[in-house]
Amino acid sequence: MSRQALDAFAAGIESEVLEAIEIGARSGVDKRLATLTEDYADADALRRLAGQVRQHTLDHLDEYLASAEERLTSHGAQVHFAASPDRALEMILDIVRASGTRVITKSKSMASEELDLTRRLTEEGFEPVETDLGEFVVQLDGDRPSHIVKPIIHKNRRDVARSFERCGLGDYDDDPETITRRARAYMRDKFLDARVTMTGANFISAESGRVAVVTNEGNARFGLAAADVHIVLAGIDKVIPRDRDLALLLSLLIRSATGQRITSYVELVAGPRLADRPSGPREMHVIFLDANRSSVVGSDMAPILRCIRCGACMNACPVYRLSSGHAYRGVYPGPMGAVLGPLLAGNEGFAAVADLARASTFCGACRDVCPVDIPIPDLLARLRARSVREGVILARAGVPSMAGYLLLARHPRLWRLAMGLGRVLDWLPLRRLPLASIRAWFDSRTLPRWRGAQFRKDVKRGRREQEDG
Amino acid sequence: MVPNREPVTGRRVQFMISCLCDAFFDDAARAAMDCLERAGCAVTCPSDQTCCGQPAYTSGDWDAYRQVVRHVAHVFHGDEPIVVASGSCATAMFHEAPIAFEGQADLPEIRRLASRTWELTDFLVNGLGVRAWSGRLPARIAVHDGCHTRGTPTIRAVRALLGGIDGLEVLAFPDQDQCCGFGGVFSISHPHISAAMGRQKVDNVRSVSPDFVVSADLSCLMHQQGIAGRQNREYPVRYVAQVLRDAAGGPA
């Protein structure tokens, strides 16, 4: 293969899709910047602080997880640990079967995508309903989210109107308010039918066991109000030390994700209904999903687990914007996904997605916007080195060998000789050479005229003149 | 991004040409040497130098990379600052080399190499304390910040130096911060995306019709000029030191 799979995918995307992504991502970038600079004198200092809080948590994850489990249990919640997505799915199936429900409402959760949950629950005869509007459209279309905050960033409202029409939710109408009203009317009955509701968790406090869930549509709250059983599915990396850390982390998460100061709804759930806590589901389960996260904790890749899933890195990434989230072939797209995806795939799955680490110019736009200060380009570089070390073939596509370069770079005489000989490049029909890597350059670019070793000659002459004079 | 550095006391510096100046942009290297000399430096230019190794770092072949960096450390031995005519190479040496040497016995030596390495304008401003550059050059220019200099003092240093030149007008242009898509090996492994990013950059720069584009990174300029060249469009570029030299001034 002469180039990377992601590049080939990008070359085939329709312009309408690219336009939708560009608009969505750009508005994310602009809103984020506006709120952060308006609200904080030194937003960078806050990003660094948040990065330290998250890294500290990871460095003591065992203790904080144990504390969160203890607090949740003492509040009457049941806490489970799932080593793999399949194990988490079994746990969820056990809980929903025991509840006797058919309908399950569900708010947005990227961890649930790791389980392919909606599809799997449907296969098992249940009726899961995605209640986040974007995820609802994904479900209608049998599609996959292409962004972790804006799952249908790749669609425009005409696409959505067509989906609604196709699924019997009314005649074609691409007015956003009409679309929203129709979804609302459809979901209302589902909320009332569902005895189980599922949420993810944006954060779980080790101090109190409080689970924080942010939404703009109130769908998580409606689910919690109507159901008997609440299942929280969360990565083990979602724990934070104290409730007060929410002030910092929610402030940065929401500003970075949507440019809002706060989302319309922030749920804080510490346990099921009890005598002194008279509302909410009577049963609460918290499933902590590992799925290879614990193998990343304590490694040189650990900083990626600081991620709080704001999506700012993909909004800012020119490669993401020109290739779409689907080009990343997994749950997590964009720069954070290019790091997290290959790691969550584990040792067995690494080779199949290791090439994602090459989907970056190392421009650092992602690092500059990351609310928890993750050095994403450095992590991508480490993954590239690992893929070379492990001889991953897919990751090698289109990447020239360094053998010739190394020979020259280590032998100054050869290097100087090559600098002189390079002049032939000016005369060769480079565009017609059957060498993929050379063609990749010359198909869309020219090269300046060769001036190899001219400067060295000057330096030498200058030195001679100095000695003579 | 930048390692802690000892204050610069002497005026002796070692000059790193960078492979692109070596191969294509000899006048840029000449201009860089010229600026250093105008700032009072005694410049040596080790003849056994080759490349900083960055292509091997980005390609992921860190065995090869470490061998090249060891050659760099060998050629540029001593205590003097190493000044590089490229923001990208400088960042590779002071930020990336220590990452690739984690766990290696010679990491301390590479860290010392890192802490001696400077990008040219960063060295002039923060190493030598040059506040501004005098001179005159009537031109309307666009300044492109190489992405590898994000988070380094180079971004400000370039503007500080250019700011003192009479007649020079720096134009703002759309999406100024966006990468031009070069990325070294990326331009080969992802030719479609790289070229698309390059065309966006060229369009954005050309939309304000500058007399030329200035950068502390010739790799970006080479890429952009190459993209424009394939489209048969004019795209004059200057390395930042060429502007400083042509303004015919010096440290103000």
Side-chain angles (χ1 to χ4, degrees):
Chain A
M1 241 189 314
S2 62
R3 64 163 149 171
Q4 290 273 304
L6 182 130
D7 194 63
F9 187 94
I13 298 178
E14 288 168 38
S15 60
E16 209 179 37
V17 173
L18 283 181
E19 193 190 345
I21 295 168
E22 180 72 17
I23 292 169
R26 196 170 278 270
S27 95
V29 169
D30 294 345
K31 286 181 191 161
R32 169 195 167 273
L33 190 65
T35 348
L36 276 176
T37 43
E38 203 170 296
D39 291 354
Y40 302 119
D42 189 355
D44 275 344
L46 285 183
R47 296 194 306 124
R48 284 191 293 275
L49 177 65
Q52 286 165 4
V53 170
R54 292 288 293 145
Q55 188 63 45
H56 163 86
T57 319
L58 294 169
D59 293 343
H60 302 85
L61 191 59
D62 285 354
E63 299 150 54
Y64 286 123
L65 267 177
S67 168
E69 180 188 15
E70 193 272 318
R71 299 315 301 158
L72 280 161
T73 311
S74 75
H75 294 157
Q78 299 173 53
V79 178
H80 317 261
F81 286 89
S84 67
D86 280 345
R87 184 71 195 101
L89 182 71
E90 284 169 24
M91 290 170 172
I92 291 168
L93 284 170
D94 285 347
I95 299 165
V96 294
R97 282 189 188 120
S99 77
T101 194
R102 198 177 71 82
V103 180
I104 301 150
T105 54
K106 186 180 161 299
S107 69
K108 202 171 146 19
S109 148
M110 290 312 295
S112 77
E113 299 293 334
E114 292 180 45
L115 279 56
D116 200 6
L117 184 64
T118 310
R119 242 180 224 92
R120 302 285 287 272
L121 284 173
T122 310
E123 283 164 15
E124 295 292 330
F126 296 98
E127 188 188 346
V129 182
E130 294 282 0
T131 61
D132 172 90
L133 182 53
E135 293 288 351
F136 180 64
V137 175
V138 168
Q139 190 182 11
L140 289 182
D141 289 350
D143 200 355
R144 304 263 176 191
S146 73
H147 186 287
I148 62 173
V149 173
K150 305 173 173 178
I152 51 167
I153 193 171
H154 57 293
K155 293 181 195 290
N156 57 38
R157 62 185 186 182
R158 295 178 296 282
D159 296 327
V160 177
R162 280 192 289 271
S163 302
F164 271 49
E165 186 182 30
R166 194 188 63 241
C167 296
L169 293 167
D171 295 337
Y172 180 94
D173 189 337
D174 61 19
D175 167 44
E177 194 177 319
T178 307
I179 290 171
T180 311
R181 282 190 187 287
R182 285 173 174 175
R184 192 169 181 267
Y186 174 85
M187 281 177 206
R188 195 169 186 84
D189 290 338
K190 303 295 176 189
F191 276 121
L192 297 174
D193 286 348
R195 296 180 58 195
V196 176
T197 197
M198 286 203 59
T199 68
N202 292 99
F203 302 104
I204 299 178
S205 164
E207 176 187 36
S208 65
R210 278 201 178 85
V211 176
V213 179
V214 301
T215 78
N216 272 319
E217 296 161 35
N219 51 319
R221 179 167 298 181
F222 201 160
L224 288 167
D228 294 329
V229 181
H230 176 199
I231 305 174
V232 180
L233 177 68
I236 54 172
D237 50 321
K238 290 293 182 175
V239 180
I240 57 169
R242 307 166 303 179
D243 284 20
R244 76 181 85 160
D245 299 319
L246 287 171
L248 173 67
L249 291 168
L250 281 176
S251 296
L252 284 177
L253 166 66
I254 295 166
R255 282 172 177 80
S256 303
T258 59
Q260 294 167 287
R261 296 199 159 78
I262 189 138
T263 42
S264 309
Y265 299 83
V266 178
E267 313 303 327
L268 295 169
V269 187
R273 188 194 310 172
L274 288 173
D276 60 344
R277 213 173 28 235
S279 60
R282 56 171 173 72
E283 197 179 310
M284 179 179 180
H285 299 264
V286 178
I287 302 173
F288 282 107
L289 176 66
D290 186 327
N292 289 318
R293 285 165 173 83
S294 55
S295 70
V296 180
V297 176
S299 79
D300 56 2
M301 302 300 293
I304 194 59
L305 294 182
R306 294 179 202 162
C307 177
I308 56 175
R309 310 287 190 265
C310 70
C313 63
M314 46 203 81
N315 290 339
C317 178
V319 175
Y320 170 87
R321 277 150 56 161
L322 287 166
S323 61
S324 91
H326 289 155
Y328 293 78
R329 315 192 303 272
V331 172
Y332 300 100
M336 58 77 54
V339 180
L340 193 60
L343 293 172
L344 294 189
N347 288 336
E348 326 74 56
F350 179 72
V353 279
D355 59 304
L356 296 178
R358 298 207 174 272
S360 166
T361 61
F362 287 167
C363 80
C366 50
R367 182 193 55 214
D368 284 4
V369 299
C370 178
V372 286
D373 201 27
I374 302 173
I376 295 176
D378 299 345
L379 299 182
L380 290 169
R382 290 175 193 277
L383 283 178
R384 289 185 194 183
R386 179 178 161 195
S387 76
V388 171
R389 219 165 43 235
E390 297 181 6
V392 176
I393 291 168
L394 194 60
R396 220 186 283 162
V399 179
S401 153
M402 289 293 130
Y405 164 79
L406 177 62
L407 184 71
L408 297 178
R410 287 186 59 213
H411 296 95
R413 283 178 182 200
L414 286 181
W415 179 273
R416 289 192 294 262
L417 187 67
M419 280 296 147
L421 294 177
R423 217 159 294 137
V424 297
L425 290 178
D426 292 345
W427 307 104
L428 286 178
L430 291 164
R431 281 187 90 174
R432 287 191 289 278
L433 287 186
L435 254 173
S437 58
I438 292 185
R439 279 238 299 277
W441 177 274
F442 285 98
D443 275 351
S444 33
R445 309 169 190 88
T446 56
L447 208 59
R449 208 157 64 80
W450 191 264
R451 303 270 309 162
Q454 292 298 319
F455 174 70
R456 288 172 184 263
K457 274 185 205 157
D458 285 6
V459 172
K460 228 172 165 179
R461 198 178 307 129
R463 208 178 284 147
R464 214 176 303 127
E465 279 164 13
Q466 255 178 12
E467 282 161 10
D468 294 349
Chain B
M1 291 285 291
V2 183
N4 288 327
R5 287 160 162 161
E6 302 276 311
V8 176
T9 48
R11 280 295 184 265
R12 299 181 60 84
V13 302
Q14 300 186 25
F15 180 61
M16 185 180 215
I17 308 170
S18 84
C19 61
L20 287 185
C21 283
D22 212 352
F24 300 110
F25 305 110
D26 51 314
D27 186 60
R30 230 171 268 131
M33 282 258 286
D34 190 63
C35 289
L36 285 168
E37 282 166 1
R38 283 186 205 203
C41 292
V43 189
T44 55
C45 184
S47 64
D48 279 352
Q49 62 177 291
T50 56
C51 174
C52 72
Q54 196 183 156
Y57 176 84
T58 43
S59 81
D61 189 346
W62 285 11
D63 275 339
Y65 177 58
R66 285 187 289 260
Q67 293 182 53
V68 180
V69 175
R70 285 184 181 118
H71 176 73
V72 174
H74 172 72
V75 171
F76 290 88
H77 60 86
D79 296 323
E80 297 111 44
I82 303 162
V83 180
V84 194
S86 152
S88 185
C89 308
T91 303
M93 281 174 65
F94 63 61
H95 177 73
E96 287 161 1
I99 293 176
F101 274 79
E102 279 171 17
Q104 303 285 317
D106 48 354
L107 175 62
E109 192 187 339
I110 300 307
R111 280 198 198 285
R112 276 196 300 280
L113 179 76
S115 68
R116 289 165 56 212
T117 305
W118 301 73
E119 181 278 322
L120 173 73
T121 60
D122 179 18
F123 181 73
L124 290 171
V125 172
N126 301 302
L128 298 179
V130 174
R131 293 273 166 78
W133 198 268
S134 66
R136 180 169 169 74
L137 189 71
R140 301 167 74 247
I141 64 167
V143 175
H144 170 76
D145 296 311
C147 293
H148 233 147
T149 58
R150 278 174 196 261
T152 77
T154 292
I155 304 230
R156 282 189 174 187
V158 166
R159 284 166 176 75
L161 294 174
L162 294 177
I165 296 174
D166 241 14
L168 206 59
E169 187 191 347
V170 178
L171 306 171
F173 61 92
D175 290 340
Q176 204 158 322
D177 297 338
Q178 188 171 307
C179 175
C180 74
F182 176 51
V185 169
F186 179 86
S187 65
I188 307 290
S189 61
H190 296 72
H192 170 80
I193 299 173
S194 169
M197 287 167 70
R199 284 189 291 269
Q200 288 177 349
K201 176 59 73 182
V202 167
D203 289 348
N204 283 325
V205 168
R206 283 178 54 102
S207 73
V208 296
S209 312
D211 295 326
F212 47 86
V213 191
V214 178
S215 180
D217 262 300
L218 283 158
S219 51
C220 313
L221 293 180
M222 179 182 80
H223 182 239
Q224 293 164 32
Q225 197 167 42
I227 292 276
R230 183 56 79 221
Q231 301 173 321
N232 293 315
R233 297 161 91 190
E234 285 285 305
Y235 201 79
V237 300
R238 297 270 198 294
Y239 176 54
V240 62
Q242 291 174 305
V243 178
L244 299 180
R245 178 196 58 194
D246 296 346

